[in-house]
Structure formats: structure tokens, C-alpha cells
Amino acid sequence: EDQVTQSPEALRLQEGESSSLNCSYTVSGLRGLFWYRQDPGKGPEFLFTLYSAGEEKEKERLKATLTKKESFLHITAPKPEDSATYLCAVRSGGYNKLIFGAGTRLAVHP
Amino acid sequence: EAQVTQNPRYLITVTGKKLTVTCSQNMNHEYMSWYRQDPGLGLRQIYYSMNVEVTDKGDVPEGYKVSRKEKRNFPLILESPSPNQTSLYFCASKKPGLAGGSSYNEQFFGPGTRLTVL
């Protein structure tokens, strides 16, 4: 059964304290791994897509990496505005189905 | 402004009273989808639609119906809501494209509808 597990469930950082969020997955034929950001009271907002092991994508203070079993979202020198829930999702097999993890709640304090 | 809108944003209802949550997108997207989000479970897909009059079940379709009579609208219907359908619901749309293309996977989500069934 396809599965996505994110850790930790919650993470508290001081402003400027770099860290990483983990997304481990078991799927039969990965066709893309996705990171989304979700702010309270809002829908998820797309960040990155990764397709193959070794691929990396960057956006401002965020960098996503992918291996054959997991993905990391690295946050460098985070700011309070980076506080949000970060969701990981995978697509396997069919075009239409995304399987989401439960998310990591990130809080960055000044 | 490109967006996905949902109505209502908040709804409290009682068991068995039929309700419809509307979803509309102004980006001319062919693909639309409904998700529910529950604590500890993440987002789970309820139904999706590849185009007008083309819909299919996601992972948790029981108790829900959808229709796609127009490209821009994709309403979610609960014929006889039950308390286990209390959840946060999101509609999303996505532009078509070739697999691997830069626009292929970006889903645009609506703001969510918080539904409580008593």
C-alpha cells in the first residue's frame, strides 16, 4: 500500500536556526513527489515537484531533495514568516491520485 | 485574479440534511478534485474530474457525490450527511500538461470549507 510519513509532527525553531523536515514514502512507481505549504485557514500552496533521486529544487530559504526512499525540505536561516504546515505528497501510477502525508507544523520564533 | 473559490466557508448542519458545497475556478482548468483534511490523516482525495461530464472516485468517496456540468464548477454533494463527515474540505484544480512539464503538477487549492455535522 502506498504510504507517506512526515516527521517530525511539529518543529519549533528560533529565527536563523536551520533545520530539515523529512518525508519518507513507500510507493509502487513514484511519478513525482510534491511539497506544499499550508497557512492556517488557507488551502495548500504548491512549492516544489521532484521526480528522480538526486534531484534538488530551491526557493528562497527552502531546498527540497529526493532519494529513493525519502525527501527532505531544508530550511536555511528561517524567519517567522516561514511558520506554516508543510505537506508532502506523492503520485504513483495513475495521473490523478496524490497521496498526502499528515504534515509538519513549523513554528519559527523571533 | 486566478483563484479557486468555495462556498460556504463554514457550515454547521444536522445529520441527514442534504447539502452542497460549491467550487468554482476561473483558470479554465480541465482537472478538478475534492479533498478532505482530518487531523493526523492528511489530505485524502474524495473525487476528481478530468473534464466536463468525466468524474471518478478517489480514496474516500463513500457518502459523497459530485457533478461536472460546466468546466469551471465542481460541486460536492452530501445527500445524507453523517457526523463522520465533519471535516475540512478543499477543492483544487490543475492545468493539463505533459508529464514532467513545469506546469504539470501545480494544483491550485481553494480556501477550504469547514463542515460540522451534528
Side-chain angles (χ1 to χ4, degrees), chain B residues 6-62:
Chain B
Q6 296 178 226
N7 282 291
R9 294 289 314 278
Y10 303 90
L11 179 60
I12 300 175
T13 189
V14 295
T15 299
K17 186 176 181 181
K18 181 179 178 179
L19 66 93
T20 299
V21 184
T22 65
C23 172
S24 182
Q25 50 93 4
N26 63 1
M27 295 168 280
N28 202 35
H29 288 169
E30 293 176 352
Y31 175 92
M32 297 184 74
S33 182
W34 276 102
Y35 295 87
R36 61 178 288 174
Q37 187 174 38
D38 302 289
L41 295 178
L43 283 156
R44 292 178 293 168
Q45 190 175 46
I46 303 171
Y47 269 95
Y48 64 90
S49 169
M50 292 295 290
N51 212 328
V52 175
E53 303 291 2
V54 181
T55 63
D56 207 348
K57 296 177 181 179
D59 289 324
V60 288
E62 296 78 20

Side-chain angles (χ1 to χ4, degrees), chain A residues 28-79:
Chain A
S28 50
L30 181 70
R31 296 199 176 194
L33 183 139
F34 313 92
W35 284 98
Y36 285 82
R37 170 190 169 127
Q38 185 174 20
D39 292 298
K42 296 188 176 181
E45 179 184 346
F46 174 80
L47 292 173
F48 304 111
T49 307
L50 302 167
Y51 289 103
S52 55
E55 189 175 357
E56 299 181 352
K57 293 274 179 73
E58 284 188 70
K59 182 179 180 180
E60 296 181 356
R61 294 175 293 282
L62 301 177
K63 179 180 176 180
T65 62
L66 181 66
T67 72
K68 288 187 177 180
K69 294 183 179 180
E70 58 192 349
S71 175
F72 291 94
L73 185 65
H74 305 279
I75 303 175
T76 302
K79 298 181 178 181

